[in-house]
Amino acid sequence: MNDLALLLSPEGRALLDEVRDTDPARELAVATRLRREHPAELVSAALGQARLRQRAAVKFGAEDAGRMFFTPNGVEQSTRASVAAYRARRLAESGVTSLADLCCGIGGDAIALARAGIRVLAVDRDPATAAAARANAEALGLAGLIEVREADVTEVDTAGYDAVFVDPARRGGRGRIFDPEAYSPPLSWAVSAARRAPRTAALKIAPGIPHEAVPEDAEAEWISDGGDVKEAVLWFGTEPGAVRATLLPGPRTLLSRGLPDPEVRPPGRYLYEPDGAVIRAHLVAEVAEELDGGLLDATIAYVTADELRPTPYATAYEITDHLPFNVKKLKALLREREIGNLTVKKRGSAVEPEELRRKVKPQGPHAATVFLTRVAGAPAMLIGRPA
């Protein structure tokens, strides 16, 4: 909080502008020069904030990140702006006009909600985090729609708001927390708060949550952005029992139809690698049906098919070779075809990609992708290229 107070002063704001694009390799020289004219504590705070803003640009975009204020945990744990904007649109389209954002962090979701026209009460119990959220609402011209409150979320009355959004802390002193009841606050408390919301509620959770931990009256949504799985969300007041995978940008959404597991079949001409959100949502069967395909192995989420069909939910590869796992044969094949640009993907194999690359020593002007996997239970290598 002391750092933030310094940075919000006229001198602090001017210094932030001056160090905005400082190369980390030149920080020591820049700090030494600036300390001749500014207090050392302020210089350290400004350079530290500049580093955080540079890191945050990946999530928030350079323009917003360059005006916002961050804590180290805030950069790490905040929602990516594209994901927050998608969720805010979904809430706004459902008729939500006011929302209690519990465990708001530095305000990433509150910003997206306010930009969607939703009035937000943003609550966090950490003083420095709440102060950053307040500063961010002001910096982005959204203070009229965002009220920031420093409080324990379990003691906040949300009765006056259409909806509730809860983003429990999923990291502790020892790293990631995998037990939902060890979240802060626990998932059970968040579910109770969601069920009390007048219109709807959304709970942000880790994408690895077991499906059996999803309440029966909740909709479960897994979200990826640019192919990377970002989070799962439990929705209340929407479609109880629904399961969906949403891919950004787009959005494109695949809904569960309750299909049985696809049959295992021999490798066809094409291999499809489903998006991570599709896999996490257990919707590989829906993709396989769309492609008229099957699985290479009953336990592995690779779909194989004879035809090339465009789908946003999986990446297609044309397979040229199917071999039993054998490093010497792979090395000989790569040398024969002059493949130097080798992408190694694995699923169901204990071999590490970098270890394999060291052994086969790819050289040459051509490119290929090798899949280390199992075919009907047997270790195998499939070689191909993006279709």
Side-chain angles (χ1 to χ4, degrees):
M1 286 186 70
N2 290 337
D3 282 358
L4 184 57
L6 289 170
L7 294 173
L8 291 174
S9 68
E11 184 181 10
R13 291 179 184 275
L15 195 56
L16 273 175
D17 288 339
E18 186 172 348
V19 302
R20 175 189 298 269
D21 299 317
T22 299
D23 184 337
R26 296 195 62 252
E27 267 193 18
L28 181 57
V30 171
T32 301
R33 174 177 59 80
L34 292 175
R35 283 171 183 159
R36 299 186 190 120
E37 301 175 6
H38 304 279
E41 186 180 10
L42 176 58
V43 172
S44 295
L47 287 170
Q49 190 60 221
R51 283 197 304 273
L52 292 175
R53 286 177 167 182
Q54 289 168 6
R55 285 173 52 196
V58 174
K59 283 188 173 182
F60 291 91
E63 184 176 351
D64 278 356
R67 294 186 288 165
M68 292 171 67
F69 296 87
F70 299 95
T71 64
N73 283 341
V75 173
E76 184 71 27
Q77 299 179 21
S78 57
T79 304
R80 182 179 287 260
S82 55
V83 178
Y86 160 73
R87 182 166 41 241
R89 284 195 304 272
R90 191 173 170 190
L91 285 161
E93 288 168 0
S94 73
V96 170
T97 60
S98 63
L99 177 144
D101 178 1
L102 308 180
C103 310
C104 69
I106 54 93
D109 280 283
I111 289 165
L113 291 160
R115 284 175 168 168
I118 298 172
R119 178 172 58 88
V120 183
L121 170 65
V123 184
D124 203 286
R125 69 180 179 182
D126 179 69
T129 302
R134 189 174 295 110
N136 288 335
E138 293 173 356
L140 298 180
L142 299 169
L145 282 170
I146 301 174
E147 174 194 348
V148 179
R149 187 180 303 175
E150 180 191 326
D152 185 330
V153 296
T154 63
E155 299 174 359
V156 174
D157 182 6
T158 62
Y161 296 85
D162 292 342
V164 169
F165 173 64
V166 190
D167 183 3
R170 295 179 299 282
R171 286 182 179 271
R174 297 182 178 181
R176 291 184 185 274
I177 296 171
F178 296 98
D179 177 7
E181 284 307 297
Y183 291 174
S184 180
L187 180 60
S188 57
W189 179 88
V191 169
S192 297
R195 287 172 174 156
R196 293 194 299 271
R199 183 181 290 272
T200 188
L203 311 183
K204 178 180 171 181
I205 55 175
I209 187 171
H211 279 233
E212 54 268 24
V214 175
E216 291 184 359
D217 57 338
E219 171 197 328
E221 180 178 34
W222 279 262
I223 303 174
S224 68
D225 187 12
D228 295 328
V229 181
K230 295 303 178 184
E231 63 184 59
V233 185
L234 300 183
W235 292 89
F236 292 80
T238 54
E239 301 177 61
V243 176
R244 69 175 68 209
T246 296
L247 282 54
L248 302 176
R252 294 180 179 273
T253 295
L254 182 66
L255 277 168
S256 171
R257 300 195 296 280
L259 299 179
D261 291 340
E263 292 184 358
V264 174
R265 52 153 290 178
R269 183 175 177 182
Y270 296 96
L271 180 150
Y272 292 84
E273 182 179 28
D275 183 272
V278 170
I279 295 172
R280 293 283 194 176
H282 296 180
L283 300 181
V284 174
E286 279 71 9
V287 171
E289 183 182 69
E290 179 182 316
L291 300 171
D292 192 22
L295 297 180
L296 291 171
D297 183 273
T299 63
I300 296 176
Y302 281 144
V303 175
T304 185
D306 297 319
E307 296 181 9
L308 179 62
R309 297 184 182 180
T311 173
Y313 304 114
T315 302
Y317 296 84
E318 184 177 10
I319 299 303
T320 57
D321 299 89
H322 167 210
L323 306 170
F325 180 79
N326 186 301
V327 175
K328 288 185 178 179
K329 287 185 178 180
L330 178 63
K331 185 175 182 178
L333 184 147
L334 297 178
R335 184 170 58 247
E336 176 187 335
R337 299 185 185 172
E338 298 182 307
I339 293 171
N341 183 0
L342 182 67
T343 300
V344 182
K345 292 177 171 285
K346 72 162 197 166
R347 191 165 287 162
S349 172
V351 178
E352 291 300 324
E354 284 308 311
E355 176 189 352
L356 182 70
R357 289 178 60 84
R358 284 196 300 270
K359 288 181 177 179
V360 299
K361 300 176 182 177
Q363 293 181 357
H366 304 304
T369 300
V370 59
F371 294 87
L372 307 179
T373 187
R374 293 194 301 272
V375 172
M381 305 180 298
L382 281 76
I383 298 97
R385 64 180 70 88

